Amino acid sequence: MFKKILSLLLAIVFVLSIVGCSKNDKEQLSPSGESTIIKNAKSANDFIKKNDLKSIAYAFVYNIHGGINSYKLTETGTLSSKILFIDYLIDTKSVTIKNNNVYYTKTDSESTLKTVHNEYYQNDNTRILVSKDLKNYNVMSMEDYHKTSFTSDQYLISGYVFNDKSIVNSELLSNTKDEISIKYTLDKDAATAYAKQDMKTTGDLTDYPTFTTLEITLHLKDDLTPLYTDLYAVYNASVPVIGTATVVQKIKSTYSNINENLVIPNESFYTEKIGQAPITPAKESEVDLKTQLLNSASNLGFDKGVNIDGKFSIDLMGASFALDINTSTLFDIKRLNDEYLYNLFNFHATLKGNETFNGLIGIIKSFAGDKLGEYGDLIDNFAGIEVSYLGDGSFYLLPFNSSGKYYTVFKVKLVDILDLVISKLNVYKMLNDSQNDIVTFTKSNSVDEKNYSVDVVLNEDTVKSMKKGLEDFFNTTEGGMLKAMLQYADFGSLKIKLDVVDDKISKLTASFSYMKNVIDSTTSETKQEETTLANLVLETKALSYNFADLKKTKEISESYNKIIPLRDKMKALASTVYASNTYLKNVTDALEEYAKLTDDEKVFFNSALVYNLENAKKNVADQLEFYKTYYKYDLDKMNNESIYELLSVYNKLKINSSLLSNEIGQENYTKLIGLGSSVDYSKFDTIVPKIKGDNEKEWGLTSDDVKELKCIIQLTKIDSSIYNNVLLKFMVAGIKLDLNTLETKLNNLTSIG
């Protein structure tokens, strides 16, 4: 029994269908063909001998509806499809109990989106009891019910017609003492009238499904007692918004407890319910409110393009954080190809925050720290973001700064977004316990059929699920901090309102509130008051579409893709600096390539990255220059002249200590920076007593003496410990000359000499 099962495949569709859909075709299909039946047949082999396999099917049809007084039918199977790129599977199970002319059926269908339970009960051919949720039970006249679906007492097998026109081929698969198996290939039109009608009306399809494959294999005994059937069907379902979805159906139906005394569970309850007055279905000309809304959305002309502007605001601790929204959307169902949604629509949105909102973004980043990963760049210098879908299967996110410059591009696959919504977040699974619609639509402020408002109200089970979701979030570390900041006590309300003008949706307003813990100023007791946290207003504007925005997005994306290899190369070079000629060349080449970029392309580079790489280039160049001197000497065998040469180069080039210690080792690096303590003062000490008076010509200095003094004086300029030692020695010797004067006098002696 696949009643209502197909509607599961469409559960996600309503969320998207407000964007645009085909109007439902109200035409009802009138099944004309009926199954052929053969009563009182005795042996299947009698027909097999005559090569008359069709008659076996006709006898089978009669037996399960009229020839057998009672049985239990258990049906299990799957329906699989691909919806919006997501492979989707529904597990189905139903149990039907036939007890003479009384039929009871209970169906269960489970998927990642939703679980559905239905019940049906009929004890005559005039009315049927139907429950979609095991809570609410409605009685329908059989005449009304047959306009939309078939019932268990009709001469059908799994809803399909068996007659000379519908059976295209029959094949005897096996014939043993205990079991005969015959596969029937059925005509995609002649066999499916009842099934198509059921699928379209209960599955909310825009048109009747079209079958490509339909095979039913009957398994029975020679006396025509049914054992089980195997159904394999492939059909295309016309789904609102999505277009055509291919569905594969596999069902096994097993018969048991044949002609036994069966008891329908809780039958007195169903007997009482079915005694109620039948409901009167809405006339075909009466369009329900949800359909009206879908039509009013479709009337906007999304195939030509629609602009929607609005504002999203959050009121948090007395501050208003606002985000302006401007979107252009084109959604053309005619552009759908056989397999993909990729080119079905185009979309562009600009989201621009006020100063307070952008400040909040900065706080979020500082709080999240490294958890944001590469997406931290998304909110650097954030002033707003543009979101575009170019029809290629990916959304593009382009954040821009206060100068209107785009500084990065994020590409997110549509399939990943849908997988997040459907599989990871399990949006519909959280409503597993609810068989009702997620929301209720109520018309208000009605002027006429084309001008009115609609209030969208969350149903009780939906509110419970949202409360549970919020509670789970607030139990996390981050959620707990937000809960304390908001002084959150309980869920308040989510109010949504749609305004329709001239049969077109013109405005959507939404607000979310919560119950806040506050201290009563008079009693000092904690109480709760409802506080609005967020508001959203969207309005449809001029019905036009700005393809220039998409063109700009494409150009920016192409520019970004062009610079990615260079930026990645520069990031790698900046992350690990090596003092080598190869590294220096790579850095130099990268910076030269960067210099050739346009200003718009340079925006995609973090200024700190460029600065760090320029510093790395200088540091490595200096490092390599220093090594030319360093490797001339042995640090354990240094004289004053070599100490001066090495330290002067070291100080002049401002060598990066980390790079240097990595290159020469920590032990040698310690020796290098401590070379000042290795200066030999023995010769200097013999020269100092010669310096008497102001006339340097009378000091009697040799050329070696002058050279030694000059070397020590130069060392005092690069090492403070040497400077202090020299001053101390001069003081002890009674020399009053300062080092600058002494250096001048030594230069005079050199020039005279």
Side-chain angles (χ1 to χ4, degrees):
M1 174 73 69
F2 56 80
K3 297 174 186 290
K4 312 298 182 185
I5 294 173
L6 185 62
S7 61
L8 273 178
L9 287 171
L10 314 174
I12 191 175
V13 171
F14 179 69
V15 176
L16 299 173
S17 59
I18 200 68
V19 178
C21 70
S22 301
K23 299 179 181 179
N24 283 338
D25 180 1
K26 291 297 180 180
E27 178 190 355
Q28 292 293 327
L29 184 68
S30 298
S32 55
E34 303 288 345
S35 291
T36 302
I37 60 173
I38 295 178
K39 298 181 180 180
N40 303 319
K42 303 299 182 182
S43 170
N45 276 299
D46 288 345
F47 294 112
I48 292 173
K49 292 174 183 177
K50 300 175 185 178
N51 197 27
D52 183 8
L53 300 182
K54 288 184 179 181
S55 291
I56 296 177
Y58 305 153
F60 190 99
V61 172
Y62 173 73
N63 271 0
I64 62 176
H65 294 293
I68 298 173
N69 291 326
S70 62
Y71 58 75
K72 180 179 179 181
L73 173 62
T74 303
E75 297 179 286
T76 59
T78 60
L79 279 84
S80 59
S81 184
K82 183 185 284 289
I83 293 186
L84 300 179
F85 314 107
I86 305 299
D87 290 325
Y88 187 53
L89 183 70
I90 298 175
D91 292 318
T92 68
K93 180 180 180 180
S94 72
V95 174
T96 297
I97 296 176
K98 178 184 185 298
N99 195 358
N100 294 313
N101 293 325
V102 179
Y103 291 87
Y104 165 79
T105 298
K106 183 176 184 294
T107 66
D108 301 284
S109 304
E110 294 188 0
S111 71
T112 55
L113 295 186
K114 201 174 183 182
T115 298
V116 170
H117 306 289
N118 299 317
E119 279 187 313
Y120 307 89
Y121 177 79
Q122 60 185 105
N123 57 12
D124 59 33
N125 59 2
T126 63
R127 57 179 60 192
I128 183 171
L129 181 67
V130 180
S131 174
K132 296 181 181 179
D133 52 15
L134 308 187
K135 297 176 183 178
N136 301 303
Y137 290 82
N138 294 313
V139 179
M140 297 183 66
S141 70
M142 201 63 74
E143 180 182 359
D144 287 333
Y145 189 78
H146 281 165
K147 292 177 181 178
T148 62
S149 188
F150 56 87
T151 51
S152 297
D153 62 335
Q154 290 182 275
Y155 287 114
L156 305 168
I157 299 178
S158 298
Y160 297 99
V161 174
F162 277 72
N163 58 32
D164 289 347
K165 290 183 179 179
S166 68
I167 299 176
V168 175
N169 185 57
S170 55
E171 178 185 358
L172 179 63
L173 301 180
S174 64
N175 185 356
T176 67
K177 177 182 177 182
D178 298 320
E179 180 180 329
I180 298 171
S181 300
I182 306 171
K183 182 172 76 173
Y184 295 90
T185 301
L186 302 181
D187 183 82
K188 62 182 182 180
D189 295 316
T192 59
Y194 290 95
K196 286 179 178 178
Q197 180 173 272
D198 179 83
M199 291 177 180
K200 181 175 183 293
T201 54
T202 63
D204 291 330
L205 302 182
T206 57
D207 203 350
Y208 296 106
T210 57
F211 284 77
T212 57
T213 303
L214 180 56
E215 297 172 347
I216 296 181
T217 302
L218 305 183
H219 303 266
L220 64 156
K221 294 182 178 180
D222 176 53
D223 63 0
L224 296 163
T225 299
L227 297 175
Y228 61 99
T229 65
D230 289 314
L231 165 67
Y232 176 75
V234 181
Y235 52 86
N236 296 316
S238 299
V239 182
V241 179
I242 296 175
T244 300
T246 299
V247 181
V248 177
Q249 181 185 37
K250 298 177 182 179
I251 304 289
K252 181 177 182 179
S253 305
T254 304
Y255 295 85
S256 62
N257 304 95
I258 294 175
N259 287 327
E260 295 181 7
N261 292 323
L262 299 178
V263 176
I264 295 175
N266 203 19
E267 185 171 12
S268 60
F269 171 81
Y270 305 118
T271 302
E272 178 185 351
K273 289 290 184 182
I274 205 170
Q276 299 172 356
I279 63 170
T280 302
K283 296 179 180 178
E284 291 183 20
S285 59
E286 296 177 0
V287 181
D288 63 25
L289 187 53
K290 185 171 73 173
T291 303
Q292 279 185 278
L293 277 178
L294 295 179
N295 290 342
S296 63
S298 179
N299 290 340
L300 288 172
F302 280 90
D303 57 336
K304 298 179 177 63
V306 174
N307 298 126
I308 301 176
D309 296 343
K311 183 184 291 290
F312 173 73
S313 62
I314 301 176
D315 295 315
L316 190 62
M317 300 178 69
S320 178
F321 305 91
L323 190 67
D324 290 328
I325 302 169
N326 176 267
T327 70
S328 297
T329 304
L330 184 145
F331 195 99
D332 188 0
I333 197 72
K334 290 179 291 187
R335 292 163 58 184
L336 179 67
N337 62 27
D338 290 338
E339 298 182 9
Y340 299 108
L341 260 176
Y342 286 155
N343 69 342
L344 179 59
F345 70 100
N346 296 117
F347 173 82
H348 180 83
T350 301
L351 311 177
K352 190 172 184 180
N354 64 3
E355 189 172 332
T356 312
F357 187 94
N358 298 340
L360 175 65
I361 292 292
I363 294 173
I364 292 173
K365 182 178 181 181
S366 62
F367 174 75
D370 296 336
K371 293 180 181 179
L372 292 174
E374 64 172 313
Y375 289 96
D377 292 342
L378 184 65
I379 53 181
D380 277 338
N381 307 310
F382 182 87
I385 188 169
E386 293 190 12
V387 183
S388 295
Y389 182 83
L390 308 179
D392 61 354
S394 295
F395 277 91
Y396 295 84
L397 284 66
L398 287 72
F400 55 87
N401 57 28
S402 56
S403 301
K405 296 291 186 180
Y406 305 93
Y407 50 89
T408 191
V409 176
F410 290 95
K411 186 177 180 181
V412 184
K413 291 182 178 179
L414 176 61
V415 64
D416 291 339
I417 296 174
L418 295 170
D419 181 60
L420 173 68
V421 173
I422 298 174
S423 302
K424 303 298 190 299
L425 296 183
N426 260 338
V427 174
Y428 288 90
K429 189 67 172 178
M430 73 178 185
L431 302 175
N432 193 12
D433 296 331
S434 171
Q435 302 305 313
N436 298 317
D437 288 334
I438 298 172
V439 297
T440 299
F441 298 95
T442 305
K443 184 178 286 189
S444 61
N445 303 325
S446 179
V447 177
D448 52 39
E449 292 182 356
K450 295 185 178 182
N451 298 273
Y452 54 90
S453 298
V454 175
D455 296 313
V456 184
V457 181
L458 300 182
N459 289 331
E460 181 180 350
D461 288 335
T462 308
V463 173
K464 288 180 181 178
S465 295
M466 292 190 69
K467 282 186 176 182
K468 179 64 167 56
L470 287 170
E471 288 172 2
D472 291 343
F473 169 70
F474 286 138
N475 285 332
T476 65
T477 302
E478 294 83 357
M481 295 181 66
L482 180 61
K483 181 178 182 180
M485 183 171 66
L486 295 175
Q487 297 175 281
Y488 178 92
D490 199 358
F491 178 85
S493 64
L494 177 61
K495 298 178 181 178
I496 304 172
K497 184 177 182 179
L498 294 162
D499 292 331
V500 177
V501 177
D502 294 332
D503 207 18
K504 298 174 183 176
I505 291 181
S506 65
K507 186 177 183 180
L508 179 148
T509 56
S511 65
F512 171 74
S513 66
Y514 68 98
M515 304 307 295
K516 180 179 180 181
N517 286 322
V518 296
I519 305 297
D520 191 307
S521 58
T522 57
T523 64
S524 298
E525 294 180 353
T526 301
K527 64 178 183 179
Q528 295 181 3
E529 64 179 31
E530 190 167 2
T531 302
T532 299
L533 175 65
N535 291 282
L536 173 67
V537 178
L538 297 174
E539 296 185 69
T540 56
K541 297 296 183 182
L543 304 186
S544 61
Y545 189 76
N546 188 1
F547 283 99
D549 288 332
L550 290 182
K551 183 179 179 182
K552 180 181 67 175
T553 297
K554 188 173 183 179
E555 292 172 351
I556 294 170
S557 178
E558 288 174 349
S559 296
Y560 179 74
N561 290 332
K562 175 184 174 183
I563 63 91
I564 286 177
L566 175 60
R567 194 179 67 173
D568 290 346
K569 177 182 178 182
M570 292 174 67
K571 284 182 177 180
L573 289 169
S575 64
T576 307
V577 180
Y578 299 97
S580 69
N581 287 311
T582 300
Y583 177 86
L584 181 60
K585 183 180 185 307
N586 289 337
V587 171
T588 302
D589 291 345
L591 289 173
E592 288 177 354
E593 188 177 348
Y594 169 79
K596 295 176 183 178
L597 299 177
T598 66
D599 290 341
D600 288 338
E601 291 170 336
K602 288 181 179 178
V603 172
F604 295 123
F605 290 78
N606 190 305
S607 58
L609 172 64
V610 179
Y611 175 80
N612 290 338
L613 212 55
E614 288 174 340
N615 276 346
K617 176 184 175 182
K618 183 180 184 307
N619 287 336
V620 170
D622 290 345
Q623 209 88 2
L624 294 174
E625 182 66 24
F626 173 72
Y627 292 156
K628 294 178 182 178
T629 303
Y630 172 82
Y631 285 116
K632 288 166 53 178
Y633 302 109
D634 182 343
L635 294 182
D636 294 322
K637 300 176 181 179
M638 302 286 285
N639 58 30
N640 289 351
E641 287 186 11
S642 60
I643 290 174
Y644 167 67
E645 182 181 6
L646 192 56
L647 288 183
S648 63
V649 173
Y650 178 80
N651 283 275
K652 174 185 176 183
L653 297 177
K654 295 182 174 58
I655 300 300
N656 182 284
S657 58
S658 176
L659 284 176
L660 181 57
S661 62
N662 286 336
E663 171 69 20
I664 67 176
Q666 186 61 43
E667 182 180 354
N668 285 334
Y669 177 73
T670 302
K671 289 180 182 179
L672 174 65
I673 60 176
L675 279 177
S677 62
S678 301
V679 172
D680 182 4
Y681 293 100
S682 57
K683 187 174 182 179
F684 177 80
D685 290 339
T686 63
I687 300 172
V688 169
K690 297 180 181 182
I691 304 174
K692 296 178 179 179
D694 293 332
N695 189 350
E696 63 272 17
K697 296 178 182 179
E698 297 177 355
W699 294 347
L701 300 177
T702 66
S703 59
D704 287 340
D705 292 340
V706 172
K707 184 177 180 181
E708 180 67 17
L709 286 173
K710 280 188 172 185
C711 181
I712 294 295
I713 290 173
Q714 294 301 321
L715 284 169
T716 64
K717 296 178 181 180
I718 58 178
D719 192 311
S720 59
S721 65
I722 300 174
Y723 177 81
N724 291 331
N725 285 337
V726 170
L727 288 184
L728 181 61
K729 291 178 182 292
F730 274 22
M731 189 180 355
V732 171
I735 299 174
K736 298 181 179 180
L737 290 174
D738 61 75
L739 293 179
N740 289 333
T741 302
L742 177 60
E743 185 177 20
T744 300
K745 291 181 178 294
L746 293 175
N747 287 334
N748 290 337
L749 288 174
T750 304
S751 61
I752 292 173

